[in-house]
Amino acid sequence: MKIKQSDTLTVQVMGTLFFGVMFLVSCATNPKTTPIDESGDFAALAPGAAAYFSIDVSRSRPLLELISLGGFSGKDVTEFLDKTDSAVAAAYPPESGRSFLVAARGKYPSGRIGFSFAFSSAWKKRPSPAGNSYWRSDRNGLSVFLNSRRALVSDGDPLVPPPGVEAPTVLETLRRNALLSGWTDDGGASINRFLALLEIPLQIPAERILFGVYDAPGGKSGQEYEAHLRIETPSVSQAKGLLAIFSLTRIFMAGLTPEDEEDPLLLASALFTHVPTQEDAALLIRTGSLKPQGIALLFNMLSLYSNQ
């Protein structure tokens, strides 16, 4: 199965960084106040998302440059990526009023680009119920709030009333040295549909999946990665049973060979490379080495399948 750019969360979330460059590098507002807290963390994002992400933009450029949206890829928008250090992002279900929200941190040329919105007929200033105002283009279906250090991009209202989202405490461990990290609260649906697609007879009673993506030990930086998954189950006994089933499934997976780097079987094989460990009611998984295409498949698993 090939990666479908139009409906993967990688496109929805990380791709918006690329799409946003069309106006971020050429137009912006420079308000006196900003709703983004100084930590730059998830407080700028709204609750109710299908998945949340933390992105180290400078270190994950090879991954970002793999993504394409509307004909634009990271290679087409290097100026914006050069100005962005990190971002948190979320993808939302259709009924939420927005499908994505990105809160980026970097150094943006707000002085020279502050004129474009004001003199463009395509962009109108709108007040937000969260306070402050933002620029909206119905033509592009995009909204933006920007100052010299922070940027909010969404297809709905980009401003979120406090307190926003609070990340799970355990995510802090996964975020250390991670290129990408995050979580989904619909973990069971996403991973079980992925396994069903591969006809793997395994049902995972997951309540939440947390993840981190890192440079693979001993691999070439920017070319090989590994992911760590924390699958949280309802009880210790379920985690223990899942550990046993997982070990049996590893035997089944040993005889299967992926056809190419975009074959979902590649990710499945990586998921079963190492024997998982149990931590209370959670199962901890370390994948085998994955190329950028494999990491894209991971995001596909954690998002696309949870929305179908």
Side-chain angles (χ1 to χ4, degrees):
M1 182 183 73
K2 301 296 183 181
I3 299 174
K4 296 181 180 179
Q5 296 174 345
S6 61
D7 54 10
T8 64
L9 182 61
T10 314
V11 171
Q12 289 176 318
V13 177
M14 290 190 292
T16 59
L17 295 174
F18 306 147
F19 194 72
V21 75
M22 290 187 293
F23 53 87
L24 288 175
V25 297
S26 62
C27 47
T29 180
N30 190 22
K32 296 180 180 179
T33 60
T34 172
I36 310 175
D37 68 85
E38 289 305 312
S39 68
D41 287 338
F42 295 93
L45 303 180
Y52 293 94
F53 295 86
S54 175
I55 307 167
D56 185 330
V57 175
S58 60
R59 293 175 57 220
S60 61
R61 288 289 286 269
L63 295 175
L64 298 178
E65 292 179 357
L66 180 70
I67 310 306
S68 175
L69 179 66
F72 289 89
S73 71
K75 295 179 181 179
D76 301 317
V77 293
T78 54
E79 182 180 357
F80 174 68
L81 294 180
D82 287 343
K83 291 176 172 60
T84 300
D85 300 320
S86 63
V88 292
Y92 297 87
E95 63 271 15
S96 69
R98 58 170 70 88
S99 62
F100 68 85
L101 176 57
V102 176
R105 179 165 56 177
K107 295 180 180 179
Y108 304 106
S110 59
R112 71 172 177 82
I113 63 180
F115 296 100
S116 296
F117 276 156
F119 290 97
S120 172
S121 61
W123 293 89
K124 305 295 182 183
K125 206 165 195 178
R126 291 189 181 180
S128 171
N132 242 308
S133 58
Y134 62 93
W135 290 96
R136 171 70 184 178
S137 172
D138 290 330
R139 181 187 305 171
N140 296 322
L142 290 169
S143 305
V144 62
F145 179 100
L146 182 75
N147 65 19
S148 62
R149 293 291 301 171
R150 309 296 176 93
L152 293 171
V153 184
S154 180
D155 57 348
D157 187 343
L159 301 176
V160 174
V165 170
E166 183 176 353
T169 303
V170 71
L171 181 67
E172 189 59 33
T173 299
L174 287 167
R175 290 181 75 181
R176 293 174 191 155
N177 301 317
L179 286 75
L180 306 168
S181 60
W183 79 94
T184 172
D185 291 318
D186 194 19
S190 60
I191 195 169
N192 288 331
R193 286 171 181 157
F194 179 77
L195 295 173
L197 174 72
L198 298 174
E199 300 182 350
I200 296 176
L202 177 63
Q203 287 287 304
I204 295 181
E207 293 184 331
R208 173 188 285 161
I209 296 178
L210 300 100
F211 59 89
V213 177
Y214 314 87
D215 286 313
K220 295 182 179 180
S221 179
Q223 298 183 29
E224 296 180 60
Y225 308 91
E226 72 173 26
H228 295 185
L229 303 179
R230 179 185 176 90
I231 302 176
E232 298 184 344
T233 70
S235 68
V236 173
S237 61
Q238 285 178 301
K240 184 177 181 180
L242 180 58
L243 179 61
I245 295 173
F246 202 98
S247 298
L248 291 174
T249 306
R250 290 185 70 242
I251 299 174
F252 168 76
M253 292 298 301
L256 301 179
T257 304
E259 294 183 359
D260 55 50
E261 292 181 348
E262 295 185 357
D263 186 344
L265 188 57
L266 177 71
L267 176 57
S269 298
L271 285 173
F272 292 93
T273 297
H274 302 289
V275 177
T277 59
Q278 182 184 350
E279 184 179 286
D280 297 326
L283 197 68
L284 308 181
I285 296 173
R286 180 169 65 91
T287 72
S289 180
L290 288 164
K291 294 187 181 299
Q293 293 87 347
I295 296 300
L297 284 172
L298 174 64
F299 284 97
N300 198 10
M301 179 196 76
L302 292 172
S303 57
L304 174 60
Y305 297 104
S306 65
N307 295 326
Q308 289 182 341

